[in-house]
């Protein structure tokens, strides 16, 4: 049985250069779990941990009927209350918005052959194993389209440096935001040293 690896099938989606580049991102479906608060806190960690039992339950269900796949990389969309923090650029926001005020949507991308029934069964299986947060997981669809992206290497606390480069590019090319800040975690930040982390930073634009 051939195992589908989304990182190989969608190379543009899961790769970024060390300088700003414009890409066209097609539609995709995900498992989704939202939250608010410090990403270094226990609640965030619990929400990350809740997604994986559901994703693996879906994987094993699909594998049983001949459609095996590798569970995809963790992703996240991030936003804050712009009315409470007006005038911040995307480079300023990581340092100037308190971590407790950030909202997020955690995501794991799904193959096209995963059905709504598969998702419901995966959530049910995780709940049966005691993953209470699985009840809050929902399917989510996203089509970012034209986007600006760049690879960030190193600690999350230094993302502002990479975002500053992207911001300057947007200003120079008269581009504006057209969606939520999006990060794709190519490294497992639970196990990887900060200086070794690789994260795609993506901004839908127009």
């Amino acid at each position: 049985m051939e195992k589908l690896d989304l990182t190989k099938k969608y190379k543009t989606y899961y790769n970024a250069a060390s300088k700003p580049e414009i890409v066209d991102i097609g539609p995709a479906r995900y498992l989704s779990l939202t939250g608010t608060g410090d990403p270094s806190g226990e609640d965030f960690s619990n929400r990350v941990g809740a997604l994986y039992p559901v994703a693996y339950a879906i994987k094993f269900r699909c594998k049983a009927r001949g459609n095996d796949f590798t569970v995809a990389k963790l992703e996240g969309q991030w936003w804050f209350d712009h009315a409470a923090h007006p005038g911040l650029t995307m480079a300023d926001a990581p340092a100037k918005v308190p971590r407790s005020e950030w909202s997020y949507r955690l995501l794991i991308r799904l193959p096209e052959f995963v059905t709504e029934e598969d998702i419901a069964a995966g959530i049910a299986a995780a709940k049966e194993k005691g993953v209470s947060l699985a009840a809050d997981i929902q399917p989510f669809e996203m089509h970012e389209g034209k986007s600006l992206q760049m690879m960030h290497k190193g600690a999350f606390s230094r993302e502002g440096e990479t975002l500053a480069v992207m911001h300057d590019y947007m200003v120079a090319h008269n581009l504006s935001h057209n969606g939520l800040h999006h990060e794709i975690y190519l490294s497992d930040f639970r196990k990887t040293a900060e200086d070794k982390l690789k994260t795609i930073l993506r901004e839908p634009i127009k």
Side-chain angles (χ1 to χ4, degrees):
M1 182 190 308
E2 184 176 354
K3 180 186 294 188
L4 173 64
D5 186 338
L6 294 177
T7 62
K8 295 178 180 179
K9 182 175 181 179
Y10 298 105
K11 293 183 179 180
T12 299
Y13 189 94
Y14 287 104
N15 287 278
S18 57
K19 60 182 180 180
E21 60 179 348
I22 295 176
V23 294
D24 185 27
I25 303 298
R29 296 172 66 244
Y30 308 80
L31 293 177
S32 166
L33 183 57
T34 58
T36 299
D38 191 335
S40 63
E42 183 178 1
D43 185 64
F44 181 85
S45 178
N46 289 340
R47 290 178 185 277
V48 172
L51 278 173
Y52 283 99
V54 176
Y56 277 98
I58 293 170
K59 166 191 166 66
F60 295 136
R61 179 181 168 93
C62 291
K63 182 178 180 180
R65 63 172 185 261
N67 285 325
D68 194 12
F69 65 93
T70 301
V71 172
K73 305 290 186 181
L74 181 70
E75 309 178 35
Q77 290 181 302
W78 295 86
W79 66 95
F80 60 91
D81 186 347
H82 286 269
H85 302 280
L88 294 182
T89 69
M90 65 192 221
D92 294 332
K96 294 185 177 180
V97 177
R99 293 165 70 89
S100 60
E101 296 182 26
W102 283 93
S103 294
Y104 55 84
R105 176 183 288 112
L106 296 171
L107 301 164
I108 292 181
R109 186 169 179 170
L110 298 171
E112 287 85 351
F113 53 71
V114 171
T115 66
E116 295 295 321
E117 291 78 12
D118 292 329
I119 295 172
I123 291 171
K127 289 168 63 179
E128 288 177 5
K129 292 182 178 180
V131 184
S132 59
L133 282 169
D136 297 328
I137 293 174
Q138 297 180 344
F140 180 73
E141 295 187 6
M142 180 167 63
H143 186 184
E144 292 178 298
K146 184 179 180 182
S147 300
L148 181 71
Q149 68 178 24
M150 184 174 170
M151 182 71 74
H152 173 72
K153 296 181 180 180
F156 296 132
S157 60
R158 299 187 63 180
E159 281 188 4
E161 300 171 13
T162 302
L163 290 169
V165 175
M166 296 173 67
H167 172 74
D168 291 344
Y169 184 95
M170 289 180 65
V171 172
H173 293 81
N174 196 31
L175 301 171
S176 59
H177 294 278
N178 192 35
L180 297 177
H181 173 71
H182 184 184
E183 301 185 351
I184 302 175
Y185 307 108
L186 300 182
S187 311
D188 186 341
F189 51 74
R190 300 169 297 178
K191 304 176 182 178
T192 307
E194 283 192 336
D195 61 329
K196 302 295 184 182
L197 293 172
K198 292 184 178 181
T199 308
I200 297 174
L201 305 184
R202 182 173 294 156
E203 303 286 337
I205 56 172
K206 59 182 178 181

